[in-house]
Amino acid sequence: QVLNHGLPLEVMLAAMAVAHDFFRLSPEEKAKLYSDDPAKKMRLSTSFNVRKETVHNWRDYLRLHCHPLEQFVPEWPANPPPFRDVMSTYCKEVRQLGFRLYAMISESLGLEQDYIKKVLGEQEQHMAVNFYPKCPSPELTYGLPAHTDPNALTILMMDEQVAGLQVLKEGRWIAVNPRPNALVINLGDQLQALSNGRYKSVWHRAVVNSDRPRMSIASFLCPCNSVKLGPAEKLIGEKSPAVYRNYTYDEYYKKFWSRNLDQEHCLELFRT
Ligand SMILES: O=C(O)CCC(=O)C(=O)O
Ligand SMILES: [Fe+2]
């Protein structure tokens, strides 16, 4: 959870407000956007991957592609009317924050400051606006079961009022208590691979509760589909052999969506 991240507070509050307005639309209006096809670039869906899973999760989510904005915004929901403008502004800010973090993470690994940004190529950016309604039996399900994010870096804005995110630390699930104006930064599978395992892609999950609905807005920075991924050359040596093989994000992403969320770490399938 980070503070002083440089994202303007009014941009964050506006995004959260318009997300709430979106999920308050009538079921008929929302049904027009429903799809369970992961290949669709704009869709409202439910659970995680309803085509694959046998146990469903207590979540509705709006998934959007966000880069380049000019290409995707015209497909975004036209209602509520401020949705496109507000979310576009939020996406641009998040992208810049992501690039600032890449520079710091690169440096921390002893790599050139622009290494990560360059090596991931012209990056896609996706967004999941997650809405977890009140759940009558929260002990029977999750909002999202344990998973690691398949992309490079995730910037998560949480509901300030309602907790629900948990992260796995030393074998125990720790609840994240949302701090006002903070953002959660999750390193994804691609940074674990790029750092040859020095950074870990964190296991996390969302629980639901019977008192109050919860919202979270996850922004995913994703490598360009065609670039070569895997450990940075500079981090491979005699004493630290490559832990993962090279692959493309296209290959990785297909594998990720072909499985259930809470199986073994998808990256395990890409070990050398
Ligand atoms: O709702 C949350 O706090 C977690 C969301 C999440 O992990 C995701 O969308 O990948
Ligand atoms: Fe996640």
Side-chain angles (χ1 to χ4, degrees):
Q1 211 168 170
V2 301
L3 295 165
N4 301 321
H5 41 63
L7 240 74
L9 181 58
E10 63 276 14
V11 171
M12 292 171 62
L13 294 177
M16 199 42 107
V18 87
H20 278 281
D21 290 342
F22 174 82
F23 281 100
R24 274 195 286 264
L25 294 174
S26 68
E28 295 74 26
E29 173 100 24
K30 285 186 284 187
K32 292 181 210 155
L33 307 178
Y34 182 83
S35 166
D36 52 26
D37 176 4
K40 283 198 80 173
K41 295 183 181 350
M42 196 287 292
R43 63 192 178 108
L44 178 65
S45 198
T46 196
S47 189
F48 166 67
N49 192 354
V50 279
R51 291 182 178 182
K52 292 266 176 249
E53 65 206 10
T54 44
V55 178
H56 298 310
N57 304 291
W58 204 264
R59 169 179 83 139
D60 290 335
Y61 65 105
L62 178 66
R63 220 164 187 298
L64 306 172
H65 278 222
C66 315
H67 186 81
L69 280 166
E70 318 77 78
Q71 184 184 338
F72 294 113
V73 170
E75 298 174 11
W76 286 6
N79 273 320
F83 186 91
R84 292 178 180 175
D85 271 357
V86 166
M87 284 304 188
S88 300
T89 306
Y90 180 76
C91 286
K92 283 185 222 161
E93 290 284 347
V94 159
R95 195 171 179 84
Q96 292 317 310
L97 171 59
F99 291 162
R100 292 198 292 279
L101 291 165
Y102 280 164
M104 290 188 259
I105 296 167
S106 297
E107 229 177 327
S108 76
L109 289 165
L111 304 167
E112 299 289 316
Q113 241 195 28
D114 59 357
Y115 181 87
I116 295 179
K117 183 165 183 240
K118 266 196 185 152
V119 87
L120 298 182
E122 179 56 19
Q123 290 196 60
E124 291 197 5
Q125 181 177 344
H126 304 173
M127 178 186 258
V129 184
N130 299 310
F131 180 65
Y132 308 96
K134 280 199 284 192
C135 178
S137 305
E139 66 287 355
L140 295 181
T141 185
Y142 289 104
L144 267 176
H147 67 283
T148 65
D149 290 344
N151 51 298
L153 188 75
T154 303
I155 298 174
L156 180 71
M157 176 167 39
M158 293 189 298
D159 201 310
E160 265 182 33
Q161 315 293 329
V162 190
L165 177 68
Q166 300 182 341
V167 298
L168 191 63
K169 192 177 175 210
E170 288 152 16
R172 294 176 56 203
W173 286 102
I174 313 276
V176 178
N177 275 327
R179 303 216 6 209
N181 317 331
L183 291 168
V184 167
I185 311 295
N186 278 341
L187 302 193
D189 297 353
Q190 302 318 317
L191 291 188
Q192 176 165 338
L194 182 145
S195 69
N196 203 25
R198 287 207 224 165
Y199 277 116
K200 297 285 185 267
S201 168
V202 67
W203 282 96
H204 57 286
R205 66 186 187 187
V207 296
V208 286
N209 72 84
S210 54
D211 298 331
R212 303 179 71 180
R214 173 174 179 263
M215 185 83 69
S216 74
I217 303 180
S219 296
F220 307 106
L221 286 182
C222 314
C224 168
N225 272 321
S226 55
V227 297
K228 185 184 87 170
L229 299 170
E233 303 263 328
K234 212 174 159 182
L235 302 180
I236 306 173
E238 246 171 58
K239 287 196 195 120
S240 53
V243 180
Y244 306 106
R245 67 172 175 86
N246 292 126
Y247 52 86
T248 62
Y249 194 52
D250 200 36
E251 188 187 347
Y252 196 88
Y253 207 61
K254 286 204 178 99
K255 183 70 86 187
F256 178 81
W257 280 97
S258 70
R259 307 158 69 245
N260 281 329
L261 206 50
D262 54 357
Q263 286 172 322
E264 66 173 338
H265 208 305
C266 189
L267 205 49
E268 291 299 313
L269 306 170
F270 292 81
R271 276 188 180 271
T272 46

